[in-house]
Every structure is written in C-alpha cells, then in structure tokens.
Amino acid sequence: MASHMYVISMLVLVVPKQQVTGDIGSFWHVTDFHYDSTVFTSQDSCTSPVADIEQKPYGDYLCDSPWSLINSSVHAMKQIEPNADFILWTGDSGPHIDESKDSAENIISTISNLTGILMDIFPNTKVYAAHGNHDYFPANQLPPHENEIYRAVANMWQRWYRDSEANRTLRKGGYYTVSIRQGLVAVVLNTNLYYGSNKVTADISDHAGQLQWFDKVLKQAAQNGNKVN
C-alpha cells in the first residue's frame, strides 16, 4: 500500500430487528485496496520512484497495490477463514493518481475487478460494500444524484443485493439497506456526500435525500419495537 493518509469515508451500521441468538460467527472487513495497474510501469501512485520495483512481485509500500498483492491477499483470506458469515468492504478501490491519468472508465473497471475477485473467491458469501472517496472520478467529488458510476456499481452488486429498493438508492446516492439475516439488517450510508473536500455537495441541505431516507429507516425500526445499534 502507498504511504498516504486515508479518510474514513463510509459508515456501516448493523441494525438488529429483534434479539438474535446463536453461535458466535465471523466476518471479514476489507478496505482501501487502491488498485494501481501502473505500479510496475509508470508508477503513477508511487510517492517516490522505486528503482527496483520489478524485483518486488507484490509491489512496494511507497505505491498503491498491484493486482498480485490484491490477489494474494484475497486468496489468503479464503485460506484463513473460508466460511465467514459476511464481508464488509468499505471502499477506496481506485489509486492515488493525477486526474489527468484517471477516468470514470478506469474507476468502473477497477471496482468491477475487485467485485469480481470477491465474488469468485467467496461465491457463497454476502458482501456489504460501500463507496469510498476514491471510488469516483474525480476523486472525492461523489455527487448527490444518479450518475454512470453509481449505476455501474449498483449493477455489479445486484448479485449481493437482490433487492430493487437497494438498487434504486445505490443508483440515486450510493446508499442502501438490506437484510443480513432474520433479525439483522445492514444500513450503509454514503458519507462521502458530507466530505469537506467534496465541492459538488457544498450548500446542499440533504444530499441525495439520504438523511430523510435514514430517518425513515430508523423511525420504522422504532415503530416496530426494534433495537437500533
């Protein structure tokens, strides 16, 4: 991974519908893959030149992640705990590179590659994923309305969220709620909309209607007598 300071830009809530009993389970939490396909060539994300990086099959700590590191890491997850109940993926898929070398197409391709490897290695595990501030082009500028990246990601994640309402809100603003199991639901907010570096959402009272939607989700839980954590 590159030696950058990261921003925690996603909020993932677990909301119990009712008292849940049973054995203790396990889950994986993955974040900040920051895949850079140029690590071994132009080294666009490296904070300084790495002269012998060709001799480092898994890249260098001064750079973002090459595919070899991501592939090795996800396969290691499978070996360590192949039967996790679910995976939390809190975004930041794209690399730290100059805007002139990035594009919406690159971001979509990157998220698609990472979605694909998680689906391939954990075909029977639900993944609860969120957008990070590097999951958009330009970085940090996630908008409060539907766009090609939100749409593309919603389509990629349909296998995990076979829920038309989750698909709709993912397209609208990158947020959603889905059931994990009986008595347990996940609520994923797109807090990039409130990020100080996000210039496109300045002076907006309720970005993509997310706060109104979130209030409705919480009130519904209260009305049903459910505890919300």
Side-chain angles (χ1 to χ4, degrees), residues 11-17 86-88 126-129 161 163 166 169 175-181 183-189 213-214 217 229:
L11 175 63
V12 179
L13 300 179
V14 175
V15 183
K17 292 182 178 177
F86 57 87
I87 297 172
L88 296 179
K126 185 68 70 68
V127 177
Y128 302 100
Y161 320 130
D163 183 303
T169 55
Y175 58 88
Y176 64 96
T177 181
V178 290
S179 175
I180 294 179
R181 64 185 183 193
L184 199 64
V185 298
V187 180
V188 180
L189 301 180
W213 169 86
F214 187 36
V217 169
N229 290 345

Tab-separated table of all heavy atoms in Angstrom, residues 11-17 86-88 126-129 161 163 166 169 175-181 183-189 213-214 217 229:
chain	number	residue	atom	x	y	z
A	11	LEU	N	-19.874	4.898	6.475
A	11	LEU	CA	-20.453	4.452	7.731
A	11	LEU	C	-21.282	3.220	7.456
A	11	LEU	O	-22.166	3.231	6.621
A	11	LEU	CB	-21.343	5.546	8.330
A	11	LEU	CG	-22.126	5.184	9.595
A	11	LEU	CD1	-21.159	4.875	10.733
A	11	LEU	CD2	-23.040	6.322	9.994
A	12	VAL	N	-20.971	2.137	8.141
A	12	VAL	CA	-21.726	0.898	8.007
A	12	VAL	C	-22.363	0.600	9.347
A	12	VAL	O	-21.669	0.462	10.354
A	12	VAL	CB	-20.825	-0.285	7.592
A	12	VAL	CG1	-21.647	-1.558	7.478
A	12	VAL	CG2	-20.133	0.019	6.277
A	13	LEU	N	-23.687	0.533	9.385
A	13	LEU	CA	-24.405	0.266	10.616
A	13	LEU	C	-25.011	-1.121	10.580
A	13	LEU	O	-25.487	-1.565	9.541
A	13	LEU	CB	-25.547	1.282	10.816
A	13	LEU	CG	-25.151	2.758	10.901
A	13	LEU	CD1	-26.411	3.591	11.059
A	13	LEU	CD2	-24.217	2.993	12.065
A	14	VAL	N	-25.021	-1.784	11.711
A	14	VAL	CA	-25.726	-3.051	11.847
A	14	VAL	C	-26.928	-2.797	12.742
A	14	VAL	O	-26.794	-2.327	13.870
A	14	VAL	CB	-24.823	-4.132	12.462
A	14	VAL	CG1	-25.609	-5.402	12.714
A	14	VAL	CG2	-23.668	-4.420	11.522
A	15	VAL	N	-28.128	-3.091	12.226
A	15	VAL	CA	-29.366	-2.796	12.927
A	15	VAL	C	-30.097	-4.080	13.249
A	15	VAL	O	-30.657	-4.726	12.356
A	15	VAL	CB	-30.286	-1.892	12.061
A	15	VAL	CG1	-31.534	-1.525	12.827
A	15	VAL	CG2	-29.532	-0.647	11.626
A	16	PRO	N	-30.126	-4.519	14.516
A	16	PRO	CA	-30.860	-5.730	14.851
A	16	PRO	C	-32.364	-5.481	14.820
A	16	PRO	O	-32.844	-4.528	15.408
A	16	PRO	CB	-30.386	-6.062	16.272
A	16	PRO	CG	-29.445	-5.006	16.676
A	16	PRO	CD	-29.416	-3.947	15.629
A	17	LYS	N	-33.109	-6.320	14.149
A	17	LYS	CA	-34.560	-6.205	14.133
A	17	LYS	C	-35.165	-6.716	15.440
A	17	LYS	O	-36.193	-6.253	15.882
A	17	LYS	CB	-35.134	-7.000	12.959
A	17	LYS	CG	-34.817	-6.436	11.589
A	17	LYS	CD	-35.471	-7.281	10.521
A	17	LYS	CE	-35.201	-6.716	9.142
A	17	LYS	NZ	-35.767	-7.576	8.077
A	86	PHE	N	-20.127	-13.010	6.527
A	86	PHE	CA	-20.261	-11.956	5.523
A	86	PHE	C	-18.942	-11.203	5.446
A	86	PHE	O	-18.039	-11.403	6.268
A	86	PHE	CB	-21.420	-11.004	5.853
A	86	PHE	CG	-21.323	-10.355	7.204
A	86	PHE	CD1	-20.626	-9.164	7.385
A	86	PHE	CD2	-21.950	-10.931	8.306
A	86	PHE	CE1	-20.529	-8.568	8.629
A	86	PHE	CE2	-21.863	-10.339	9.562
A	86	PHE	CZ	-21.155	-9.150	9.730
A	87	ILE	N	-18.843	-10.321	4.450
A	87	ILE	CA	-17.668	-9.462	4.276
A	87	ILE	C	-18.122	-8.010	4.240
A	87	ILE	O	-19.072	-7.668	3.519
A	87	ILE	CB	-16.916	-9.798	2.971
A	87	ILE	CG1	-16.377	-11.227	3.010
A	87	ILE	CG2	-15.771	-8.806	2.726
A	87	ILE	CD1	-15.789	-11.696	1.689
A	88	LEU	N	-17.467	-7.158	5.021
A	88	LEU	CA	-17.664	-5.716	4.920
A	88	LEU	C	-16.553	-5.159	4.034
A	88	LEU	O	-15.371	-5.395	4.288
A	88	LEU	CB	-17.585	-5.053	6.303
A	88	LEU	CG	-18.649	-5.419	7.325
A	88	LEU	CD1	-18.385	-4.672	8.629
A	88	LEU	CD2	-20.042	-5.115	6.818
A	126	LYS	N	-22.086	-13.243	1.331
A	126	LYS	CA	-22.642	-11.926	1.028
A	126	LYS	C	-21.619	-10.857	1.381
A	126	LYS	O	-20.967	-10.931	2.422
A	126	LYS	CB	-23.926	-11.714	1.842
A	126	LYS	CG	-24.676	-10.432	1.527
A	126	LYS	CD	-25.280	-10.429	0.149
A	126	LYS	CE	-26.441	-11.395	0.026
A	126	LYS	NZ	-27.623	-11.019	0.798
A	127	VAL	N	-21.480	-9.872	0.514
A	127	VAL	CA	-20.564	-8.756	0.746
A	127	VAL	C	-21.387	-7.479	0.889
A	127	VAL	O	-22.205	-7.160	0.026
A	127	VAL	CB	-19.554	-8.612	-0.412
A	127	VAL	CG1	-18.650	-7.400	-0.191
A	127	VAL	CG2	-18.714	-9.885	-0.549
A	128	TYR	N	-21.168	-6.762	1.974
A	128	TYR	CA	-21.839	-5.489	2.205
A	128	TYR	C	-20.825	-4.394	1.926
A	128	TYR	O	-19.896	-4.163	2.705
A	128	TYR	CB	-22.385	-5.424	3.633
A	128	TYR	CG	-23.335	-6.557	3.911
A	128	TYR	CD1	-22.909	-7.684	4.607
A	128	TYR	CD2	-24.632	-6.534	3.407
A	128	TYR	CE1	-23.766	-8.748	4.820
A	128	TYR	CE2	-25.490	-7.599	3.609
A	128	TYR	CZ	-25.053	-8.708	4.318
A	128	TYR	OH	-25.908	-9.770	4.505
A	129	ALA	N	-20.986	-3.756	0.780
A	129	ALA	CA	-19.970	-2.843	0.256
A	129	ALA	C	-20.430	-1.391	0.306
A	129	ALA	O	-21.627	-1.096	0.220
A	129	ALA	CB	-19.619	-3.232	-1.177
A	161	TYR	N	-27.166	-7.962	-3.603
A	161	TYR	CA	-28.371	-7.306	-3.088
A	161	TYR	C	-29.515	-7.491	-4.075
A	161	TYR	O	-29.781	-6.632	-4.900
A	161	TYR	CB	-28.119	-5.809	-2.868
A	161	TYR	CG	-26.764	-5.508	-2.280
A	161	TYR	CD1	-25.936	-4.553	-2.839
A	161	TYR	CD2	-26.303	-6.209	-1.165
A	161	TYR	CE1	-24.688	-4.286	-2.297
A	161	TYR	CE2	-25.053	-5.956	-0.622
A	161	TYR	CZ	-24.248	-4.993	-1.197
A	161	TYR	OH	-23.012	-4.741	-0.680
A	163	ASP	N	-32.436	-6.854	-4.303
A	163	ASP	CA	-33.450	-6.005	-3.692
A	163	ASP	C	-33.592	-4.763	-4.563
A	163	ASP	O	-32.647	-3.994	-4.712
A	163	ASP	CB	-33.021	-5.649	-2.268
A	163	ASP	CG	-34.045	-4.815	-1.523
A	163	ASP	OD1	-34.405	-3.739	-2.024
A	163	ASP	OD2	-34.466	-5.242	-0.428
A	166	ALA	N	-32.836	-1.426	-2.728
A	166	ALA	CA	-31.409	-1.207	-2.511
A	166	ALA	C	-30.747	-0.763	-3.808
A	166	ALA	O	-29.891	0.143	-3.808
A	166	ALA	CB	-30.750	-2.476	-1.981
A	169	THR	N	-31.640	3.029	-4.446
A	169	THR	CA	-30.932	4.033	-3.647
A	169	THR	C	-29.426	4.025	-3.923
A	169	THR	O	-28.780	5.065	-3.821
A	169	THR	CB	-31.203	3.832	-2.145
A	169	THR	OG1	-30.866	2.493	-1.768
A	169	THR	CG2	-32.663	4.100	-1.819
A	175	TYR	N	-26.187	4.742	-1.354
A	175	TYR	CA	-26.511	4.228	-0.032
A	175	TYR	C	-27.639	3.201	-0.145
A	175	TYR	O	-28.360	3.147	-1.144
A	175	TYR	CB	-26.919	5.360	0.911
A	175	TYR	CG	-28.101	6.186	0.442
A	175	TYR	CD1	-29.416	5.815	0.744
A	175	TYR	CD2	-27.919	7.363	-0.298
A	175	TYR	CE1	-30.494	6.579	0.323
A	175	TYR	CE2	-28.985	8.136	-0.730
A	175	TYR	CZ	-30.274	7.738	-0.411
A	175	TYR	OH	-31.340	8.495	-0.845
A	176	TYR	N	-27.799	2.364	0.882
A	176	TYR	CA	-28.827	1.319	0.816
A	176	TYR	C	-28.977	0.618	2.154
A	176	TYR	O	-28.155	0.777	3.070
A	176	TYR	CB	-28.461	0.275	-0.249
A	176	TYR	CG	-27.189	-0.494	0.052
A	176	TYR	CD1	-27.220	-1.739	0.672
A	176	TYR	CD2	-25.934	0.041	-0.282
A	176	TYR	CE1	-26.049	-2.431	0.958
A	176	TYR	CE2	-24.761	-0.645	-0.010
A	176	TYR	CZ	-24.821	-1.874	0.612
A	176	TYR	OH	-23.664	-2.557	0.904
A	177	THR	N	-30.027	-0.166	2.290
A	177	THR	CA	-30.217	-1.055	3.416
A	177	THR	C	-30.686	-2.404	2.895
A	177	THR	O	-31.481	-2.464	1.955
A	177	THR	CB	-31.222	-0.496	4.450
A	177	THR	OG1	-31.340	-1.423	5.533
A	177	THR	CG2	-32.594	-0.272	3.836
A	178	VAL	N	-30.160	-3.470	3.465
A	178	VAL	CA	-30.549	-4.828	3.081
A	178	VAL	C	-30.564	-5.709	4.325
A	178	VAL	O	-29.929	-5.399	5.336
A	178	VAL	CB	-29.570	-5.448	2.046
A	178	VAL	CG1	-29.689	-4.766	0.696
A	178	VAL	CG2	-28.143	-5.414	2.553
A	179	SER	N	-31.292	-6.807	4.233
A	179	SER	CA	-31.357	-7.758	5.328
A	179	SER	C	-30.128	-8.657	5.317
A	179	SER	O	-29.733	-9.175	4.267
A	179	SER	CB	-32.624	-8.621	5.207
A	179	SER	OG	-32.637	-9.628	6.192
A	180	ILE	N	-29.488	-8.823	6.476
A	180	ILE	CA	-28.383	-9.757	6.608
A	180	ILE	C	-28.916	-11.155	6.885
A	180	ILE	O	-28.530	-12.125	6.248
A	180	ILE	CB	-27.434	-9.320	7.740
A	180	ILE	CG1	-26.745	-8.002	7.365
A	180	ILE	CG2	-26.398	-10.404	8.032
A	180	ILE	CD1	-25.799	-7.473	8.430
A	181	ARG	N	-29.821	-11.242	7.852
A	181	ARG	CA	-30.479	-12.496	8.197
A	181	ARG	C	-31.665	-12.140	9.073
A	181	ARG	O	-31.913	-10.965	9.356
A	181	ARG	CB	-29.519	-13.427	8.942
A	181	ARG	CG	-29.061	-12.893	10.285
A	181	ARG	CD	-28.038	-13.786	10.931
A	181	ARG	NE	-27.674	-13.279	12.244
A	181	ARG	CZ	-26.628	-13.704	12.933
A	181	ARG	NH1	-25.839	-14.625	12.412
A	181	ARG	NH2	-26.377	-13.202	14.128
A	183	GLY	N	-33.685	-10.927	11.796
A	183	GLY	CA	-33.364	-10.121	12.959
A	183	GLY	C	-32.203	-9.175	12.798
A	183	GLY	O	-31.839	-8.482	13.757
A	184	LEU	N	-31.618	-9.103	11.613
A	184	LEU	CA	-30.426	-8.275	11.435
A	184	LEU	C	-30.419	-7.658	10.042
A	184	LEU	O	-30.536	-8.368	9.042
A	184	LEU	CB	-29.175	-9.129	11.636
A	184	LEU	CG	-27.860	-8.407	11.926
A	184	LEU	CD1	-27.928	-7.658	13.248
A	184	LEU	CD2	-26.719	-9.405	11.954
A	185	VAL	N	-30.283	-6.332	9.988
A	185	VAL	CA	-30.184	-5.647	8.701
A	185	VAL	C	-28.956	-4.746	8.686
A	185	VAL	O	-28.455	-4.333	9.733
A	185	VAL	CB	-31.446	-4.801	8.388
A	185	VAL	CG1	-32.678	-5.685	8.289
A	185	VAL	CG2	-31.632	-3.703	9.414
A	186	ALA	N	-28.462	-4.476	7.494
A	186	ALA	CA	-27.330	-3.557	7.330
A	186	ALA	C	-27.819	-2.257	6.718
A	186	ALA	O	-28.625	-2.265	5.783
A	186	ALA	CB	-26.269	-4.185	6.428
A	187	VAL	N	-27.348	-1.148	7.246
A	187	VAL	CA	-27.631	0.171	6.689
A	187	VAL	C	-26.298	0.801	6.308
A	187	VAL	O	-25.426	0.982	7.156
A	187	VAL	CB	-28.361	1.075	7.704
A	187	VAL	CG1	-28.642	2.446	7.079
A	187	VAL	CG2	-29.661	0.430	8.162
A	188	VAL	N	-26.116	1.096	5.034
A	188	VAL	CA	-24.847	1.629	4.534
A	188	VAL	C	-25.080	3.045	4.011
A	188	VAL	O	-25.879	3.251	3.097
A	188	VAL	CB	-24.278	0.738	3.412
A	188	VAL	CG1	-22.967	1.307	2.900
A	188	VAL	CG2	-24.083	-0.687	3.920
A	189	LEU	N	-24.388	4.004	4.607
A	189	LEU	CA	-24.523	5.402	4.216
A	189	LEU	C	-23.347	5.847	3.345
A	189	LEU	O	-22.223	5.388	3.536
A	189	LEU	CB	-24.577	6.295	5.456
A	189	LEU	CG	-25.703	6.023	6.455
A	189	LEU	CD1	-25.609	6.996	7.622
A	189	LEU	CD2	-27.061	6.118	5.790
A	213	TRP	N	-34.147	9.677	4.131
A	213	TRP	CA	-34.274	8.226	3.995
A	213	TRP	C	-33.800	7.521	5.267
A	213	TRP	O	-34.455	6.613	5.772
A	213	TRP	CB	-33.450	7.772	2.798
A	213	TRP	CG	-33.255	6.290	2.664
A	213	TRP	CD1	-34.092	5.398	2.055
A	213	TRP	CD2	-32.141	5.529	3.154
A	213	TRP	NE1	-33.570	4.127	2.137
A	213	TRP	CE2	-32.379	4.181	2.801
A	213	TRP	CE3	-30.972	5.857	3.839
A	213	TRP	CZ2	-31.470	3.166	3.127
A	213	TRP	CZ3	-30.076	4.854	4.169
A	213	TRP	CH2	-30.333	3.518	3.815
A	214	PHE	N	-32.671	7.955	5.809
A	214	PHE	CA	-32.103	7.340	7.008
A	214	PHE	C	-33.044	7.526	8.204
A	214	PHE	O	-33.255	6.613	9.008
A	214	PHE	CB	-30.736	7.962	7.291
A	214	PHE	CG	-29.958	7.306	8.392
A	214	PHE	CD1	-30.005	5.931	8.596
A	214	PHE	CD2	-29.154	8.073	9.226
A	214	PHE	CE1	-29.266	5.331	9.604
A	214	PHE	CE2	-28.414	7.479	10.237
A	214	PHE	CZ	-28.473	6.106	10.434
A	217	VAL	N	-35.776	5.049	7.917
A	217	VAL	CA	-35.324	3.705	8.282
A	217	VAL	C	-35.302	3.540	9.798
A	217	VAL	O	-35.772	2.531	10.350
A	217	VAL	CB	-33.925	3.425	7.691
A	217	VAL	CG1	-33.331	2.146	8.280
A	217	VAL	CG2	-34.001	3.310	6.175
A	229	ASN	N	-28.651	-0.311	16.852
A	229	ASN	CA	-27.292	-0.037	17.341
A	229	ASN	C	-26.550	0.810	16.322
A	229	ASN	O	-26.688	0.602	15.137
A	229	ASN	CB	-26.513	-1.333	17.548
A	229	ASN	CG	-27.050	-2.119	18.733
A	229	ASN	OD1	-27.794	-1.589	19.561
A	229	ASN	ND2	-26.682	-3.376	18.816
